[in-house]
């Protein structure tokens, strides 16, 4: 009996080794498939970007005589200079900066305060307020545009920076959800200790809660900033004046009813793309880490 047991041990270990090796081969094959899929997705995403970059550095003759995927014969920065001056990109940068800074600051403040009140306090209309936020996310954006336009115009904010600021400052469900997840990790004993020391609710929020919400605030601030810089609809509709152009609406300068200068338009798109790209690449780890921390309760 013992002899058979001893003789069977090598075969059992060999079978175990075969199973482990086959599992490793399957995992490597799966990894290869995942890498191939990611490569295809990257090519699909970078395909229009490459066309735009090549067109931005081509002359009109080179653009008409070559394929969109063909690199320019001579890389010239003339289109970038013309696009920057013609589109008045400096004014666009300043207007966009004002919208981003003011909107993000007020957005963080209102979003964090709303989440703090909903999480820490019980009141009669608490569920109704959350239902209204959910309803606002479900209702299509363009169905309420007529009424919103009339409200903005009646308030006297039309054709001014106040119109998009009033719209961007509004708190959305994503902010409340992420702030709620972060606040749920903060022990209520901190609130009680501060109240024992004589702190008011506003003092507790300012000195205890909000400093602990900085990771969530950084994440939401970056997402909101990128969203504002890429938005063309609201600035184009509510700020038609030339002196109120943003980076996105400045692109309309290069689009005409009869003709379009494609190489200068591509150069202008490249100028508008660079700030958003740099901001996203520099802060992407904070975006992903903030969303991951807010999605999982500790």
């Amino acid at each position: 009996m013992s002899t058979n047991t001893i003789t069977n041990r090598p075969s059992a270990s060999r079978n175990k080794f075969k199973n482990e090796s086959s599992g490793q081969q399957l995992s490597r094959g799966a990894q290869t498939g995942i890498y191939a899929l990611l490569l295809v997705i990257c090519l699909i995403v970078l395909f229009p970007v490459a066309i735009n970059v090549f067109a931005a550095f081509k002359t009109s003759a080179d653009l008409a005589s070559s394929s969109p995927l063909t690199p320019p014969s001579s890389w010239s920065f003339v289109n970038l200079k013309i696009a920057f001056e013609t589109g008045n990109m400096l004014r666009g940068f300043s207007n966009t900066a004002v919208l981003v800074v003011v909107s993000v600051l007020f957005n963080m403040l209102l979003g964090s305060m709303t989440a703090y009140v909903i999480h820490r306090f019980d009141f009669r209309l608490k569920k109704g307020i959350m239902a209204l936020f959910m309803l606002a996310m479900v209702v299509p954006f363009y169905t309420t545009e007529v009424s919103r336009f009339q409200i903005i115009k009646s308030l006297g904010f039309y054709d001014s920076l106040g119109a998009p600021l009033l719209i961007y400052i509004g708190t959305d469900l994503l902010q409340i959800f992420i702030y709620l997840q972060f606040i749920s990790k903060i022990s209520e004993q901190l609130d009680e200790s501060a109240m024992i020391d004589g702190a008011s609710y506003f003092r507790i929020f300012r000195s205890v809660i909000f400093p602990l919400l900085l990771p969530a605030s950084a994440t939401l601030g970056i997402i909101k900033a990128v969203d504002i810089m890429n938005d063309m609809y609201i600035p184009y509709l509510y700020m038609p004046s030339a002196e109120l152009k943003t980076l996105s609406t400045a692109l309309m300068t290069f689009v005409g009813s009869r003709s379009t200068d494609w190489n200068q338009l591509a150069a202008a798109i490249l100028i508008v793309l660079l700030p958003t790209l740099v901001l996203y690449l520099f802060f992407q780890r904070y975006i992903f880490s903030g969303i991951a921390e807010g999605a999982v309760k500790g």
Side-chain angles (χ1 to χ4, degrees):
M1 181 73 66
S2 60
T3 306
N4 294 333
T5 304
I6 294 173
T7 55
N8 289 333
R9 285 179 181 175
S11 61
S13 61
R14 283 195 297 268
N15 292 332
K16 183 179 180 181
F17 178 76
K18 289 181 181 179
N19 293 332
E20 291 179 354
S21 62
S22 62
Q24 290 178 358
Q25 291 177 357
L26 289 175
S27 63
R28 290 176 181 175
Q31 289 179 359
T32 303
I34 292 174
Y35 289 147
L37 178 62
L38 292 175
L39 179 61
V40 172
I41 294 175
C42 289
L43 291 177
I44 294 175
V45 172
L46 294 177
F47 180 76
V49 178
I51 295 177
N52 187 87
V53 171
F54 291 158
F57 293 96
K58 289 181 179 180
T59 61
S60 299
D62 194 8
L63 185 66
S65 60
S66 62
S67 172
L69 290 176
T70 303
S73 56
S74 60
W75 295 77
S76 176
F77 293 88
V78 176
N79 292 329
L80 294 174
K81 181 180 179 182
I82 296 175
F84 190 85
E85 296 175 353
T86 305
N88 198 3
M89 292 295 179
L90 193 60
R91 177 63 64 88
F93 273 111
S94 62
N95 291 333
T96 303
V98 171
L99 293 178
V100 169
V101 173
V102 177
S103 300
V104 168
L105 290 178
F106 277 92
N107 219 246
M108 289 180 182
L109 183 62
L110 292 178
S112 59
M113 291 177 67
T114 303
Y116 173 67
V117 171
I118 291 175
H119 186 272
R120 287 292 200 260
F121 300 95
D122 291 325
F123 46 94
R124 183 176 299 176
L125 299 178
K126 181 177 180 178
K127 294 183 179 180
I129 292 175
M130 288 299 298
L132 289 176
F133 279 113
M134 293 292 295
L135 181 63
M137 296 296 295
V138 174
V139 174
F141 174 77
Y142 297 101
T143 58
T144 59
E145 187 55 56
V146 175
S147 59
R148 186 173 69 177
F149 184 86
Q150 294 296 330
I151 293 173
I152 295 294
K153 192 172 182 179
S154 62
L155 291 175
F157 289 124
Y158 179 72
D159 201 16
S160 68
L161 289 174
L165 283 175
L166 189 62
I167 297 173
Y168 291 144
I169 286 173
T171 304
D172 55 27
L173 186 61
L174 175 63
Q175 294 172 323
I176 295 176
F177 174 76
I178 294 179
Y179 275 127
L180 281 174
Q181 297 304 314
F182 272 83
I183 294 178
S184 64
K185 299 178 183 180
I186 301 174
S187 175
E188 295 185 8
Q189 294 179 357
L190 295 176
D191 301 36
E192 296 173 357
S193 299
M195 292 182 66
I196 293 175
D197 293 336
S200 62
Y201 289 121
F202 290 99
R203 180 64 183 272
I204 294 172
F205 173 78
R206 185 187 64 184
S207 302
V208 178
I209 302 298
F210 190 75
L212 296 176
L213 296 178
L214 288 180
S217 299
T219 300
L220 295 173
I222 296 166
I223 295 175
K224 193 71 175 181
V226 173
D227 184 44
I228 293 174
M229 286 190 289
N230 290 334
D231 185 24
M232 179 183 289
Y233 175 77
I234 291 177
Y236 182 74
L237 178 63
Y238 290 96
M239 298 189 305
S241 299
E243 62 272 10
L244 295 177
K245 285 184 179 179
T246 61
L247 287 176
S248 57
T249 56
L251 298 177
M252 301 299 295
T253 306
F254 305 94
V255 179
S257 58
R258 297 184 179 180
S259 62
T260 301
D261 197 341
W262 293 106
N263 52 352
Q264 293 184 12
L265 177 60
I269 293 174
L270 193 60
I271 294 174
V272 174
L273 176 65
L274 284 177
T276 306
L277 183 62
V278 171
L279 181 66
Y280 183 80
L281 291 178
F282 188 75
F283 291 105
Q284 63 174 337
R285 60 175 180 172
Y286 299 103
I287 298 175
F288 297 142
S289 63
I291 293 177
E293 292 179 7
V296 180
K297 286 188 177 183

